[in-house]
């Protein structure tokens, strides 16, 4: 059971709080950050950690806990802010993001950060490992679900499609793949660099169920995740998001892939993210 | 020889024994059911094997996921494809994540001879040595192979085992006990020490025996434990040797030749080192084993000739 089980209103408030932390965390980073990617996934990880996932900070070794894998490891900053809010470690750690010997390095490291299930950062690794976890849960008769969040640019990595074949072949209906489809990647628009559309058709052709949601709308994210059916096929949720969502001068701008807020940008962003 | 055994058969029997003993071991193959000779395991445990198809990246990633879920995951496929195709999965999913995955590099070295360089793994040791926290072993004979595999299954964490593709005879008697990290002295001598690993240990022993019969003074050291390796012990074994010759069916860069060079240099030994194997910048020839080994001077006749020349 999820220890929070937040309402949509509570989730929205939590999402704003996580966004404010993301702005401060990136502003304090000595080595840049991935502000745009951190912000696009906020509603997805907020819904998971505060309503959907059967996991909690005091059950990190529970064999039956649900698993979340941050395959888009470059959005570690956003992931850390969510984990801190959910109580996996003290928010006091957040200002150490990417500092020397920090518990919060630039990509997730499970040996350093409570709550992190897999070291990622090289793209295309989350889904194959999630397949192994989902397969193990099936064979052990566990009710565990395995959630994996990928970027959309990341889907150019062929290992994802190897894993999709295996997931469908072994009927891993306890596996939920969420694509944070913000349509931007390091060097520009995903559709210009390497087209992944029609994405739904591709997953379907590999034998996976596909559902869409508005990935920056908590009602849509929650309703979609709560209505997924486990009927022999793995599920893919294509979450249409905006990179940099929530801050007007970051949203949809490719230069914020690896930029962090500076000077008055910090206060301007925080002002936009105040609770109303 | 009548007591020869194929390493894959030993591996499969170890898997069967482990599961029967209560180990939650899951072999993961990439359409490599025949390569791994896994049929007896499947007959015994029909629902345990995972076959991901011809897809090495997801083979290793899936193994890591199984291991993170409490299983002992053992990948079994041809070494060249494991080492090259799933290089980053080995680095990240297995080593960096420190998962309990055992990687079996089957038909390693130039076992696939005539199938040519796509099918040769002459870079597996150098590749694995570049990764942190993975144990690396290269058995040379059945009893050693069995004990290395049993050790790997007992140990928590990543292990790579370089497995030859041909049946090989015994080099040890039945009271042999594999000790991780320890090189073993197979022939005593004081003028030349031949260091070898894997199947070419047999070539080294045959070469030494012919030289010893001719009155020459040659030692043979089997370095089956690459990581861990007791470097001090290896240095002590080499100490005072005028000549050291390394023999490997592997590139001379990054494998045993490099390891011995490090030990000789770091311990200030005075030995002259000769490295035999696939030379810098080269591939192994496409041909059968005797041809390939003759070509590289790692057959018994070639090794003996090199040693003779060194001793003048």
């Amino acid at each position: 059971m999820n220890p929070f089980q937040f309402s949509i209103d509570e989730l929205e408030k939590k999402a704003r709080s996580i966004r404010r932390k993301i702005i401060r965390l990136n502003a304090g980073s000595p080595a840049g950050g991935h502000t745009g990617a951190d912000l696009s996934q906020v509603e997805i990880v907020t819904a998971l950690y505060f309503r959907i996932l059967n996991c909690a900070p005091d059950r990190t070794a529970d064999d039956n806990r649900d698993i979340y894998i941050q395959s888009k490891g470059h959005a570690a900053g956003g992931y850390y802010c969510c984990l801190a809010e959910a109580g996996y470690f003290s928010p006091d750690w957040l200002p150490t993001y990417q500092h020397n010997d920090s518990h919060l390095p630039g990509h997730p490291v499970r040996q350093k950060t409570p709550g992190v299930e897999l070291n990622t950062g090289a793209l295309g690794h989350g889904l194959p490992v999630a397949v192994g976890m989902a397969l193990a849960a099936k064979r052990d008769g566990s009710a565990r679900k395995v959630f994996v969040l990928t970027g959309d640019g990341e889907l150019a990595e062929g290992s994802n499609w190897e894993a999709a074949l295996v997931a469908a072949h072994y009927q891993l209906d306890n596996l939920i793949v969420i694509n944070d489809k913000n349509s931007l990647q390091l060097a520009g628009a995903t559709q210009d660099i390497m087209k992944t559309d029609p994405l739904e058709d591709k997953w379907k052709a590999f034998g996976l169920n596909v559902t869409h949601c508005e990935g920056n709308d908590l009602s849509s994210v929650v309703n979609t995740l709560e209505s997924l059916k486990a009927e022999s096929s793995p599920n893919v949720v294509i979450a249409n998001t905006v990179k940099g969502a929530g801050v007007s001068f970051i949203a949809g701008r490719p230069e914020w892939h690896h930029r962090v807020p500076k000077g008055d940008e910090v206060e301007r962003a925080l002002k936009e993210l105040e609770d109303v | 020889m009548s007591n020869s055994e194929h390493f894959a058969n030993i591996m499969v029997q170890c898997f069967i024994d482990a599961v029967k003993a209560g180990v939650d071991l899951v072999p993961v193959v990439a359409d490599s059911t025949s390569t791994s000779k896994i049929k007896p395991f499947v007959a015994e445990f029909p629902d345990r094997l995972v076959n991901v198809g011809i897809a090495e990246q997801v083979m290793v990633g899936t193994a890591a996921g199984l291991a993170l879920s409490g299983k002992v995951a053992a990948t079994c496929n041809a070494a060249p494809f494991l080492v090259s195709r799933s290089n980053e999965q080995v680095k990240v999913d297995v080593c960096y994540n420190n998962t309990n995955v055992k990687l079996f590099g089957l038909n390693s070295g130039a076992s696939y001879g005539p199938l040519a360089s796509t099918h040769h793994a002459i870079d597996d040791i150098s590749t694995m040595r570049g990764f942190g926290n993975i144990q690396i072993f290269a058995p040379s004979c059945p009893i050693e192979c069995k004990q290395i595999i049993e050790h790997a299954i007992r140990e928590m964490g990543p292990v790579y085992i370089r497995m030859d593709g041909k049946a090989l005879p015994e080099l040890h008697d039945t009271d042999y006990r594999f000790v991780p990290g320890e090189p073993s002295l197979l022939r005593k001598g004081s003028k030349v020490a031949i260091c070898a690993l894997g199947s070419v240990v047999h070539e080294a022993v045959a070469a030494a025996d012919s030289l010893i019969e001719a009155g020459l003074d040659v030692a043979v050291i089997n370095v089956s434990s690459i990581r861990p390796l007791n470097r001090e012990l290896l240095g002590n074994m080499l100490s005072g040797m005028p000549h050291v010759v390394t023999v490997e069916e592997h590139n001379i860069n990054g494998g045993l030749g490099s390891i011995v060079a490090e030990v000789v240099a770091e311990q200030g030994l005075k030995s002259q080192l000769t490295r035999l194997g696939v030379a810098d910048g080269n591939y192994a020839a496409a041909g059968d084993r005797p041809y390939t080994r003759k070509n590289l001077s790692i057959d018994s006749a070639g090794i003996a000739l090199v040693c003779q020349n060194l001793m003048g």
Side-chain angles (χ1 to χ4, degrees), chain A residues 108-111 117-120 122-125 128-129 131-133 135-136 139-140 144 158-159 162-163 166 169-170, chain B residues 24 26 47-52 55-59 61-62 64-66 68-69 71 88-89 92-93 96-99:
Chain A
V109 179
R110 69 190 189 98
Q111 293 92 340
E117 300 279 5
L118 187 72
N119 304 358
T120 54
L123 296 171
H125 285 257
V129 176
V131 162
M133 291 174 156
L135 184 54
R139 290 196 170 179
D140 291 342
R144 162 179 282 180
S159 51
E162 289 187 11
V166 179
H169 180 87
Y170 283 99
Chain B
D24 192 1
V26 178
D47 301 320
R48 205 159 252 281
L49 181 80
V50 175
N51 190 344
V52 300
E56 293 79 11
Q57 296 183 78
V58 73
M59 177 188 74
T62 297
L66 290 163
L68 284 166
S69 306
K71 316 224 174 263
E88 195 178 68
Q89 279 71 26
V92 175
D93 306 346
Y96 186 37
N97 273 285
N98 196 29
T99 49

Coordinates of all heavy atoms in Angstrom, one line a residue, chain A residues 108-111 117-120 122-125 128-129 131-133 135-136 139-140 144 158-159 162-163 166 169-170, chain B residues 24 26 47-52 55-59 61-62 64-66 68-69 71 88-89 92-93 96-99:
Chain A
P108 N 21.6 8.7 -10.9 CA 21.3 7.9 -9.7 C 22.2 6.7 -9.4 O 22.6 6.0 -10.3 CB 19.9 7.3 -10.0 CG 19.4 8.1 -11.1 CD 20.6 8.6 -11.9
V109 N 22.6 6.6 -8.1 CA 23.5 5.5 -7.7 C 22.9 4.9 -6.4 O 22.8 5.5 -5.4 CB 24.9 6.0 -7.3 CG1 25.8 4.9 -6.9 CG2 25.5 6.7 -8.5
R110 N 22.4 3.7 -6.6 CA 21.7 3.0 -5.5 C 22.5 2.8 -4.2 O 21.9 2.8 -3.1 CB 21.0 1.7 -5.9 CG 22.0 0.6 -6.2 CD 21.3 -0.6 -6.9 NE 22.2 -1.8 -6.9 CZ 22.1 -2.8 -6.1 NH1 21.3 -2.7 -5.1 NH2 22.9 -3.8 -6.2
Q111 N 23.8 2.7 -4.4 CA 24.7 2.5 -3.2 C 24.8 3.8 -2.4 O 25.3 3.8 -1.3 CB 26.1 2.0 -3.6 CG 26.1 0.6 -4.2 CD 26.0 0.6 -5.8 OE1 25.5 1.5 -6.4 NE2 26.4 -0.5 -6.4
E117 N 16.6 2.4 -6.9 CA 16.6 1.0 -7.1 C 17.6 0.5 -8.2 O 18.0 -0.6 -8.2 CB 15.2 0.5 -7.7 CG 14.1 0.8 -6.7 CD 13.9 -0.2 -5.6 OE1 14.8 -1.1 -5.5 OE2 12.9 -0.1 -4.8
L118 N 18.1 1.5 -9.0 CA 19.0 1.0 -10.1 C 19.9 2.2 -10.5 O 19.4 3.3 -10.6 CB 18.2 0.6 -11.3 CG 19.1 -0.1 -12.4 CD1 19.6 -1.4 -12.0 CD2 18.3 -0.2 -13.7
N119 N 21.2 1.9 -10.7 CA 22.1 3.0 -11.2 C 21.8 3.1 -12.7 O 21.9 2.2 -13.4 CB 23.6 2.5 -11.0 CG 23.9 2.2 -9.6 OD1 23.1 2.4 -8.7 ND2 25.1 1.8 -9.3
T120 N 21.5 4.3 -13.1 CA 21.2 4.6 -14.5 C 22.0 5.8 -14.9 O 22.7 6.5 -14.1 CB 19.7 4.8 -14.7 OG1 19.2 5.8 -13.9 CG2 18.9 3.5 -14.5
A122 N 23.5 5.9 -18.4 CA 23.6 5.5 -19.7 C 22.1 5.1 -20.1 O 21.5 4.4 -19.4 CB 24.5 4.3 -19.8
L123 N 21.7 5.6 -21.3 CA 20.3 5.4 -21.6 C 20.0 4.0 -22.2 O 20.9 3.3 -22.7 CB 19.8 6.5 -22.6 CG 19.9 7.9 -22.0 CD1 19.6 9.0 -23.1 CD2 18.9 8.1 -20.9
G124 N 18.7 3.6 -22.0 CA 18.3 2.3 -22.6 C 18.6 1.1 -21.6 O 18.6 0.0 -22.1
H125 N 18.9 1.4 -20.4 CA 19.2 0.3 -19.4 C 18.1 0.0 -18.5 O 18.0 -1.2 -18.0 CB 20.5 0.7 -18.6 CG 21.8 0.6 -19.3 ND1 22.6 -0.5 -19.2 CD2 22.3 1.4 -20.3 CE1 23.7 -0.3 -19.9 NE2 23.5 0.8 -20.6
P128 N 15.4 -3.1 -19.9 CA 15.8 -4.5 -19.8 C 15.9 -5.0 -18.3 O 15.5 -6.1 -18.1 CB 17.2 -4.5 -20.5 CG 17.2 -3.3 -21.4 CD 16.3 -2.3 -20.7
V129 N 16.4 -4.2 -17.4 CA 16.5 -4.6 -16.0 C 15.1 -4.8 -15.4 O 14.8 -5.7 -14.7 CB 17.4 -3.6 -15.2 CG1 17.4 -4.0 -13.8 CG2 18.8 -3.6 -15.8
V131 N 12.5 -5.7 -17.0 CA 12.0 -6.9 -17.5 C 12.4 -8.1 -16.6 O 11.6 -9.0 -16.3 CB 12.5 -7.1 -19.0 CG1 12.3 -8.6 -19.4 CG2 11.7 -6.2 -19.9
G132 N 13.7 -8.1 -16.2 CA 14.2 -9.1 -15.3 C 13.5 -9.1 -14.0 O 13.1 -10.2 -13.4
M133 N 13.2 -7.9 -13.5 CA 12.5 -7.8 -12.2 C 11.1 -8.3 -12.3 O 10.6 -9.0 -11.4 CB 12.6 -6.3 -11.7 CG 13.9 -5.9 -11.3 SD 13.9 -4.1 -10.9 CE 15.3 -4.0 -9.8
L135 N 9.9 -10.3 -14.5 CA 9.9 -11.8 -14.7 C 10.1 -12.5 -13.4 O 9.4 -13.5 -13.1 CB 11.0 -12.1 -15.7 CG 11.1 -13.5 -16.2 CD1 9.8 -14.1 -16.8 CD2 12.2 -13.6 -17.3
A136 N 11.0 -12.0 -12.6 CA 11.3 -12.7 -11.3 C 10.0 -12.6 -10.4 O 9.6 -13.6 -9.8 CB 12.4 -12.0 -10.6
R139 N 7.5 -15.2 -11.6 CA 7.9 -16.6 -11.3 C 7.7 -16.8 -9.8 O 7.5 -18.0 -9.4 CB 9.3 -16.8 -11.8 CG 9.3 -16.9 -13.3 CD 10.6 -17.5 -13.8 NE 10.5 -17.8 -15.2 CZ 11.4 -18.3 -15.9 NH1 12.6 -18.6 -15.3 NH2 11.3 -18.5 -17.2
D140 N 7.9 -15.8 -9.0 CA 7.8 -15.9 -7.5 C 6.4 -15.8 -7.0 O 6.2 -15.9 -5.8 CB 8.7 -14.9 -6.8 CG 10.2 -15.2 -7.0 OD1 10.5 -16.3 -7.4 OD2 11.0 -14.3 -6.8
R144 N 4.1 -7.8 -6.9 CA 5.0 -6.6 -7.2 C 4.7 -6.1 -8.7 O 4.5 -6.9 -9.6 CB 6.4 -7.0 -7.1 CG 7.4 -6.1 -7.8 CD 8.8 -6.5 -7.7 NE 9.3 -6.1 -6.3 CZ 10.6 -6.4 -5.9 NH1 11.4 -7.0 -6.7 NH2 10.9 -6.0 -4.7
G158 N 18.5 0.8 -29.0 CA 17.9 -0.5 -29.4 C 17.6 -1.4 -28.3 O 16.7 -2.3 -28.4
S159 N 18.3 -1.3 -27.2 CA 18.1 -2.2 -26.0 C 16.6 -2.1 -25.5 O 16.1 -3.1 -25.0 CB 19.0 -1.9 -24.9 OG 19.0 -0.5 -24.6
E162 N 14.7 -4.5 -27.7 CA 15.0 -5.9 -27.3 C 14.2 -6.3 -26.1 O 13.6 -7.4 -26.1 CB 16.5 -6.1 -27.0 CG 17.5 -6.0 -28.1 CD 18.9 -6.4 -27.7 OE1 19.1 -6.8 -26.6 OE2 19.8 -6.1 -28.5
A163 N 14.1 -5.4 -25.2 CA 13.4 -5.6 -23.9 C 11.9 -5.7 -24.2 O 11.2 -6.5 -23.6 CB 13.7 -4.5 -22.9
V166 N 11.0 -9.1 -25.3 CA 11.0 -10.1 -24.2 C 9.8 -9.9 -23.2 O 9.2 -10.8 -22.8 CB 12.4 -10.0 -23.4 CG1 12.4 -11.0 -22.2 CG2 13.5 -10.2 -24.3
H169 N 6.8 -11.3 -24.9 CA 7.0 -12.8 -25.0 C 6.6 -13.5 -23.7 O 5.9 -14.5 -23.7 CB 8.4 -13.2 -25.5 CG 8.6 -14.6 -25.6 ND1 8.3 -15.3 -26.8 CD2 9.1 -15.6 -24.7 CE1 8.6 -16.6 -26.6 NE2 9.1 -16.8 -25.4
Y170 N 7.1 -12.9 -22.6 CA 6.9 -13.5 -21.3 C 5.6 -12.9 -20.6 O 5.4 -13.2 -19.4 CB 8.1 -13.3 -20.4 CG 9.2 -14.3 -20.7 CD1 10.3 -13.9 -21.5 CD2 9.2 -15.6 -20.3 CE1 11.3 -14.8 -21.9 CE2 10.2 -16.5 -20.6 CZ 11.2 -16.1 -21.4 OH 12.2 -17.0 -21.7
Chain B
D24 N 18.5 -20.4 -5.8 CA 17.5 -19.9 -6.7 C 18.3 -19.4 -8.0 O 18.3 -18.2 -8.2 CB 16.7 -18.8 -6.1 CG 15.5 -18.5 -6.9 OD1 15.2 -19.1 -7.9 OD2 14.7 -17.6 -6.4
V26 N 19.0 -19.0 -11.9 CA 18.3 -18.9 -13.2 C 19.2 -18.7 -14.3 O 19.9 -17.6 -14.4 CB 17.3 -17.7 -13.1 CG1 16.5 -17.6 -14.5 CG2 16.3 -17.9 -12.0
D47 N 10.8 -25.0 -16.0 CA 10.3 -23.6 -16.0 C 11.3 -22.6 -15.5 O 10.9 -21.5 -15.1 CB 9.0 -23.5 -15.1 CG 7.9 -24.4 -15.6 OD1 7.8 -24.5 -16.8 OD2 7.3 -25.1 -14.8
R48 N 12.6 -23.0 -15.5 CA 13.6 -22.1 -14.9 C 14.4 -21.3 -15.9 O 14.7 -20.1 -15.6 CB 14.5 -23.0 -14.0 CG 15.1 -22.3 -12.9 CD 15.6 -23.2 -11.8 NE 14.8 -23.1 -10.6 CZ 14.9 -22.2 -9.7 NH1 15.8 -21.2 -9.8 NH2 14.1 -22.2 -8.6
L49 N 14.7 -21.8 -17.0 CA 15.5 -21.1 -18.0 C 14.8 -19.9 -18.5 O 13.6 -19.9 -18.7 CB 15.8 -22.1 -19.1 CG 16.7 -21.5 -20.3 CD1 18.2 -21.6 -19.8 CD2 16.5 -22.3 -21.6
V50 N 15.6 -18.8 -18.8 CA 15.0 -17.7 -19.5 C 15.8 -17.6 -20.8 O 17.0 -17.5 -20.8 CB 15.2 -16.4 -18.7 CG1 14.8 -15.2 -19.5 CG2 14.5 -16.4 -17.4
N51 N 15.1 -17.5 -21.9 CA 15.7 -17.4 -23.2 C 15.2 -16.1 -23.8 O 14.0 -16.0 -24.1 CB 15.3 -18.6 -24.1 CG 16.1 -18.6 -25.4 OD1 16.7 -17.6 -25.8 ND2 16.1 -19.8 -26.1
V52 N 16.0 -15.1 -24.1 CA 15.6 -13.8 -24.6 C 15.7 -13.7 -26.1 O 15.5 -12.6 -26.6 CB 16.4 -12.7 -23.9 CG1 16.2 -12.7 -22.4 CG2 17.9 -12.7 -24.3
A55 N 19.7 -11.6 -28.5 CA 19.6 -10.2 -28.0 C 20.5 -10.1 -26.7 O 19.9 -10.3 -25.6 CB 18.2 -9.8 -27.8
E56 N 21.7 -9.8 -26.9 CA 22.7 -9.9 -25.8 C 22.5 -8.8 -24.8 O 22.7 -9.0 -23.6 CB 24.1 -10.0 -26.3 CG 24.5 -11.2 -27.0 CD 24.0 -11.2 -28.5 OE1 23.5 -10.1 -29.0 OE2 24.1 -12.3 -29.1
Q57 N 22.1 -7.6 -25.2 CA 21.9 -6.5 -24.3 C 20.8 -6.8 -23.3 O 21.0 -6.7 -22.1 CB 21.5 -5.2 -25.1 CG 22.6 -4.7 -26.0 CD 22.2 -3.4 -26.6 OE1 22.3 -2.4 -26.0 NE2 21.7 -3.5 -27.9
V58 N 19.7 -7.3 -23.8 CA 18.6 -7.6 -22.9 C 18.9 -8.9 -22.1 O 18.4 -9.1 -21.0 CB 17.2 -7.6 -23.6 CG1 17.1 -8.9 -24.4 CG2 16.1 -7.5 -22.6
M59 N 19.7 -9.7 -22.6 CA 20.1 -10.9 -21.8 C 20.8 -10.5 -20.5 O 20.4 -11.0 -19.4 CB 21.1 -11.8 -22.7 CG 21.6 -13.0 -21.9 SD 22.9 -14.0 -22.7 CE 24.3 -12.8 -22.5
G61 N 20.9 -7.4 -19.2 CA 20.0 -6.5 -18.4 C 18.9 -7.3 -17.6 O 18.7 -7.1 -16.4
T62 N 18.3 -8.3 -18.3 CA 17.4 -9.2 -17.6 C 18.0 -9.9 -16.5 O 17.4 -10.1 -15.4 CB 16.7 -10.1 -18.6 OG1 16.0 -9.4 -19.6 CG2 15.8 -11.1 -18.0
A64 N 20.5 -9.0 -14.7 CA 20.7 -8.0 -13.6 C 19.4 -7.8 -12.8 O 19.3 -7.8 -11.6 CB 21.2 -6.7 -14.1
G65 N 18.3 -7.7 -13.6 CA 16.9 -7.5 -12.9 C 16.6 -8.8 -12.1 O 16.0 -8.6 -11.0
L66 N 16.8 -10.0 -12.6 CA 16.6 -11.2 -11.9 C 17.4 -11.2 -10.6 O 16.9 -11.6 -9.5 CB 16.9 -12.4 -12.7 CG 16.0 -12.7 -13.9 CD1 16.6 -13.6 -14.9 CD2 14.6 -13.3 -13.4
L68 N 18.7 -8.6 -9.0 CA 18.2 -7.6 -8.0 C 16.9 -8.1 -7.3 O 16.5 -7.5 -6.3 CB 17.9 -6.3 -8.7 CG 19.2 -5.5 -9.1 CD1 18.9 -4.4 -10.1 CD2 19.8 -4.9 -7.8
S69 N 16.3 -9.1 -7.9 CA 15.1 -9.7 -7.3 C 15.4 -11.0 -6.4 O 14.6 -11.7 -6.1 CB 14.1 -10.1 -8.3 OG 13.8 -8.9 -9.1
K71 N 17.6 -13.6 -7.2 CA 18.1 -14.8 -7.9 C 19.6 -14.7 -8.2 O 20.2 -13.7 -8.2 CB 17.3 -15.0 -9.2 CG 15.8 -14.7 -9.1 CD 15.0 -15.7 -9.7 CE 13.5 -15.4 -9.5 NZ 13.0 -16.3 -8.4
E88 N 28.2 -2.5 -22.4 CA 27.7 -1.5 -21.4 C 26.8 -2.1 -20.4 O 26.7 -1.6 -19.3 CB 27.1 -0.4 -22.2 CG 26.9 0.8 -21.2 CD 26.3 2.0 -21.9 OE1 25.1 1.9 -22.3 OE2 27.0 3.0 -22.1
Q89 N 26.1 -3.2 -20.8 CA 25.2 -3.8 -19.8 C 26.1 -4.5 -18.7 O 25.7 -4.5 -17.5 CB 24.3 -4.8 -20.5 CG 23.0 -4.2 -21.1 CD 23.3 -3.4 -22.3 OE1 24.3 -3.7 -23.0 NE2 22.5 -2.5 -22.7
V92 N 27.5 -1.5 -16.6 CA 26.5 -0.7 -15.8 C 25.6 -1.7 -15.0 O 25.5 -1.5 -13.7 CB 25.6 0.2 -16.7 CG1 24.6 0.9 -15.8 CG2 26.5 1.2 -17.4
D93 N 24.9 -2.6 -15.7 CA 23.9 -3.4 -15.0 C 24.5 -4.4 -14.0 O 23.9 -4.7 -13.0 CB 22.9 -4.1 -16.0 CG 22.4 -3.1 -17.0 OD1 22.4 -1.9 -16.8 OD2 21.9 -3.6 -18.1
Y96 N 28.7 -2.0 -12.1 CA 28.4 -0.8 -11.4 C 27.2 -1.0 -10.4 O 27.3 -0.5 -9.3 CB 28.0 0.3 -12.4 CG 27.9 1.7 -11.9 CD1 28.6 2.2 -10.9 CD2 26.9 2.5 -12.5 CE1 28.5 3.5 -10.5 CE2 26.8 3.8 -12.1 CZ 27.5 4.3 -11.1 OH 27.4 5.6 -10.7
N97 N 26.2 -1.7 -10.8 CA 25.1 -2.0 -9.9 C 25.4 -3.1 -8.9 O 24.6 -3.4 -8.0 CB 23.8 -2.3 -10.7 CG 23.1 -1.1 -11.1 OD1 22.4 -0.5 -10.2 ND2 23.2 -0.7 -12.3
N98 N 26.6 -3.8 -9.1 CA 27.0 -4.9 -8.2 C 25.9 -5.9 -8.1 O 25.6 -6.3 -6.9 CB 27.5 -4.3 -6.9 CG 28.3 -5.3 -6.1 OD1 29.0 -6.1 -6.7 ND2 28.2 -5.2 -4.8
T99 N 25.5 -6.4 -9.2 CA 24.4 -7.4 -9.1 C 25.0 -8.8 -9.1 O 26.1 -9.1 -9.6 CB 23.4 -7.3 -10.3 OG1 24.2 -7.2 -11.5 CG2 22.6 -6.0 -10.1

